[in-house]
Amino acid sequence: MNLKSLHLQHQEIHLEKLERYGIRLVIKREDLIHPFVSGNKYRKLKYNLVELQEKGYAKLLTFGGAYSNHIAATAYAAKEQGVKAIGVIRGEELKAKAGENPTLNFARKQGMELHFVSREIYRTKTQPMFLESLYRRFGDFYLLPEGGTNALAVKGCEEILVEKDSAFDYICCAVGTGGTISGLINASTVHQKVLGFPALKGSFLKNEICNFVSGKNWELIEDYHFGGYAKISASLVNFINVFKEQTAIPLDPVYTGKMIYGILDLAEKGYFSRGSSILAIHTGGLQGIPGMNQILKRKQLPLIQ
């Protein structure tokens, strides 16, 4: 994937509650980096695709769930690179309804072969026995972990921050598998604090991040996952819709929406001192909104606009 020019917006947010507390919030619009391989997915795939090409792989295999940003982005990027993509999908029950799922349907249209496994088997995705069965089934392939996080992904995410970003006191991002925040920690300066807002419940992410970083200037804020991965409430939907009306910035409901909600709530609670400047990374994920709206409609909850 090559970008001829990359002009990412730093969009300052003017909200009364931020001005009341003397806090400056700027959103870095990584969601605009590519129409289909947006945000941190472009960053994570960049050097993995270089490695794949240099080693001469003709196939790429990776893992994901029903509405995975990673699956959608990888499918498109692989097609662009002329590489066969295989997606191991969590949940055998999805096979019959894949055509109704916006993310899986998009991935298939890009040429990705979808291989559905039970949730029990999916939990063994890093185990040698399961990986051997995949090699027997699909032949040789370049293995990309769930969410795309590995050392090469972290290297790509280190490029999110540029020189002018060193002026901010805080760098904030949503956290899924830990690759993006690891790159931000490695690229941050010693005077900056990197805050991660996990989309999942559980403290296992700390160990994952520590595999890639040596810096200590970071913290996981674990109070804004809204019940866990892909869980959402009417209040969060309303927040996302109102925020878009006020700023013209769309937020996804799994990652960035929860992060921005958390930042504004922390500001009200006095977490940030007056005069603090915050750079929040918009990591994309907007492709997941149609799928989330299907779920919200079934639950008779308001939809994301």
Side-chain angles (χ1 to χ4, degrees):
M1 293 181 301
N2 293 314
L3 294 181
K4 293 179 180 179
S5 61
L6 186 56
H7 302 293
L8 295 180
Q9 297 179 20
H10 284 63
Q11 191 164 339
E12 187 153 1
I13 305 304
H14 298 284
L15 296 175
E16 189 274 332
K17 66 171 60 177
L18 291 172
E19 293 170 359
R20 186 192 320 152
Y21 300 113
I23 294 168
R24 180 178 181 235
L25 173 63
V26 174
I27 296 180
K28 188 164 192 173
R29 299 291 305 276
E30 289 273 305
D31 58 306
L32 301 175
I33 200 170
H34 189 282
F36 302 110
V37 192
S38 72
N40 60 344
K41 299 310 172 189
Y42 177 90
R43 303 291 189 177
K44 288 182 173 183
L45 285 167
K46 178 180 177 181
Y47 290 110
N48 274 290
L49 291 176
V50 170
E51 178 91 345
L52 178 150
Q53 295 284 6
E54 288 180 348
K55 293 191 173 179
Y57 284 94
K59 298 178 186 176
L60 179 159
L61 182 143
T62 194
F63 307 86
Y67 304 103
S68 168
N69 297 322
H70 172 65
I71 287 292
T74 301
Y76 188 92
K79 182 190 73 170
E80 201 174 65
Q81 294 287 301
V83 175
K84 170 69 176 178
I86 302 154
V88 179
I89 307 300
R90 180 180 65 248
E92 284 180 310
E93 74 280 1
L94 296 170
K95 186 174 183 178
K97 299 180 179 180
E100 302 169 18
N101 179 297
T103 299
L104 299 180
N105 192 40
F106 174 83
R108 262 191 182 154
K109 286 182 177 179
Q110 309 315 308
M112 176 178 271
E113 180 177 349
L114 303 181
H115 176 56
F116 298 87
V117 299
S118 69
R119 293 167 191 276
E120 182 181 6
I121 291 175
Y122 190 87
R123 285 193 288 270
T124 70
K125 62 185 175 294
T126 60
Q127 299 301 313
M129 188 176 296
F130 179 51
L131 292 175
E132 286 170 13
S133 73
L134 293 175
Y135 282 113
R136 287 195 300 271
R137 183 183 183 101
F138 297 109
D140 197 23
F141 53 75
Y142 184 87
L143 180 64
L144 196 58
E146 182 180 38
T149 290
N150 57 16
L152 290 173
V154 173
K155 178 183 177 182
C157 289
E158 289 172 4
E159 297 178 354
I160 293 173
L161 296 182
V162 295
E163 186 176 353
K164 68 177 181 178
D165 295 332
S166 63
F168 291 91
D169 302 307
Y170 293 90
I171 308 295
C172 295
C173 75
V175 181
T177 53
T180 304
I181 190 173
S182 296
L184 294 171
I185 293 165
N186 291 342
S188 64
T189 63
V190 292
H191 78 271
Q192 293 178 310
K193 182 78 173 284
V194 182
L195 301 181
F197 294 77
L200 302 90
K201 291 191 289 186
S203 58
F204 66 95
L205 280 169
K206 291 181 181 178
N207 292 332
E208 294 294 321
I209 295 166
C210 286
N211 289 330
F212 298 109
V213 307
S214 57
K216 306 297 183 184
N217 61 328
W218 59 280
E219 179 184 356
L220 294 183
I221 308 293
E222 300 180 15
D223 302 325
Y224 300 99
H225 52 65
F226 283 79
Y229 180 73
K231 297 293 178 65
I232 192 170
S233 67
S235 63
L236 181 61
V237 172
N238 181 66
F239 170 80
I240 289 170
N241 288 337
V242 170
F243 188 84
K244 185 179 179 182
E245 289 175 8
Q246 294 175 327
T247 66
I249 300 176
L251 302 175
D252 86 286
V254 177
Y255 295 105
T256 313
K258 294 177 179 179
M259 172 193 66
I260 297 297
Y261 183 100
I263 290 171
L264 297 180
D265 191 56
L266 289 176
E268 287 194 296
K269 291 177 177 176
Y271 181 93
F272 306 105
S273 59
R274 179 170 289 275
S276 294
S277 58
I278 304 166
L279 179 67
I281 311 300
H282 192 319
T283 49
L286 300 176
Q287 70 81 30
I289 290 176
M292 180 59 74
N293 276 341
Q294 288 181 343
I295 296 172
L296 292 170
K297 189 174 182 179
R298 287 199 298 269
K299 293 183 177 181
Q300 297 184 317
L301 291 172
L303 303 184
I304 299 166
Q305 301 304 315

